[in-house]
Structure formats: C-alpha cells, structure tokens
C-alpha cells in the first residue's frame, strides 16, 4: 500500500493564467500562502512558503517545471517522528507533490494535485489526510481568486 492522493478542479481561465497563479510567488501569496511565498517555482529552485496555520516559513524544493503543464515539488512530511522502532527517531523525510495543468476545450483549465511518499503509519495516514484537505482548500482558493479576485483564506486561520 502506498499513501497517496489526488484532487482536481476546473478553473474558468486559460492554462497560462492558472499556471502563473501557482508559479508566481506574489500571486500564490495573494490567495494561498497566508504568510507569503518567496521565490518563483522554477526547476532546481528552493522556495519558501509560510502559512498562518503553520507559522514559520519552510523550504519547498522545485524538482521540475514544465511551463503551463506541470510542477513537481518536494517538501518535508509533517507527520512527526517515525513510529517504527527500527527507524531513527525524528528522521525527516520528503513527500512529492505534482501539479498538472490541462487546457480544456471550453477554455477552462483542469488542475490536478497529487501527493505521495508518506510513511505507512497512523501518523503518516493522518498527515496525508491533512494535506489532502489542504490541497483541496488550495484548489477552491485558486478558483475563487483567479476567477473572481476573492481571497477565501483571508482571515480564515487568524
């Protein structure tokens, strides 16, 4: 069994606009990273994201970017120390996040976010569910901001 998930949503804007709303740190900060984002999502970069609900900026490794098609990120799993007595206590590990952007015939963009790589433990499962919720919220916030200029997350956490 591999702990992973996939969420998707349709945004009523061209793929270029939707991709830029994720790749550009100023745009991402306008609706998602409530504490701000520093650094454009470009292959090989390490950027910083900060959230009001998880205070303190943390690094996000940008593994691969195909403009208007795909973004692959890696970041530290947020599930605490391993429960396996054979593992090193507190050993950090990374999960992988893949965004895909698909232009649709009606002018909308299908955005899919997949995340994988958690430990197959109760804390890994809990962290995966939490991130699934977070990415679903991100898609809703992306849609509201790109289509209507509304920041759904403003004041939501603090």
């Amino acid at each position: 069994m591999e702990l992973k998930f996939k969420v998707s949503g349709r945004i009523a804007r061209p793929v270029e606009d939707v991709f830029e709303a994720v790749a550009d740190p100023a745009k991402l900060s306008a609706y998602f990273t409530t504490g701000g984002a520093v650094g454009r999502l470009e292959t090989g970069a390490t950027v910083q994201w900060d959230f009001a609900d998880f205070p303190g900026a943390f690094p996000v490794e940008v593994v691969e970017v195909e403009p208007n098609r795909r973004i692959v990120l890696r970041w530290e799993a947020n599930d605490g120390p391993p429960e396996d007595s054979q593992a090193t206590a507190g050993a950090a590990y990374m999960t992988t996040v893949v965004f895909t952007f698909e232009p649709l015939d009606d002018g909308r963009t299908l955005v899919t976010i997949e995340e994988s790589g958690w430990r197959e433990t109760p804390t890994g499962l809990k962290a995966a569910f939490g991130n699934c919720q977070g990415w679903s919220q991100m898609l809703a916030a992306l849609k509201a901001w790109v289509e209507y200029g509304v920041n759904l997350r403003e004041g939501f956490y603090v």
Side-chain angles (χ1 to χ4, degrees):
M1 176 178 84
E2 179 184 5
L3 291 181
K4 62 182 179 177
F5 64 82
K6 180 190 300 188
V7 295
S8 298
R10 288 161 181 78
I11 313 294
R13 289 291 183 268
V15 71
E16 297 82 7
D17 295 349
V18 178
F19 179 88
E20 279 303 309
V22 175
D24 181 321
K27 292 177 182 177
L28 191 67
S29 297
Y31 69 91
F32 181 56
T33 53
T34 52
V38 177
R40 182 173 174 82
L41 299 182
E42 297 178 322
T43 300
T46 297
V47 301
Q48 297 290 317
W49 286 358
D50 194 353
F51 296 91
D53 50 327
F54 291 99
F58 56 90
V60 177
E61 297 175 10
V62 185
V63 176
E64 176 186 356
V65 174
E66 294 178 53
N68 303 324
R69 297 193 62 215
R70 179 176 150 106
I71 298 171
V72 180
L73 308 173
R74 287 177 40 85
W75 60 359
E76 189 171 320
N78 184 30
D79 72 350
E83 296 172 0
D84 178 354
S85 61
Q86 305 269 336
T88 304
Y93 69 98
M94 307 289 273
T95 62
T96 301
V97 180
V98 179
F99 288 79
T100 56
F101 303 85
E102 181 183 344
L104 301 174
D105 291 340
D106 61 5
R108 296 183 302 164
T109 300
L110 175 62
V111 180
T112 301
I113 304 170
E114 302 175 62
E115 190 166 1
S116 62
W118 287 276
R119 290 188 179 108
E120 296 174 22
T121 63
T123 56
L125 182 60
K126 182 179 178 182
F129 274 118
N131 280 22
C132 184
Q133 175 185 343
W135 289 122
S136 295
Q137 290 174 348
M138 187 271 194
L139 284 174
L142 172 64
K143 181 175 182 68
W145 187 77
V146 171
E147 291 184 16
Y148 304 103
V150 173
N151 181 352
L152 292 180
R153 293 171 63 93
E154 184 175 345
F156 195 78
Y157 296 103
V158 292

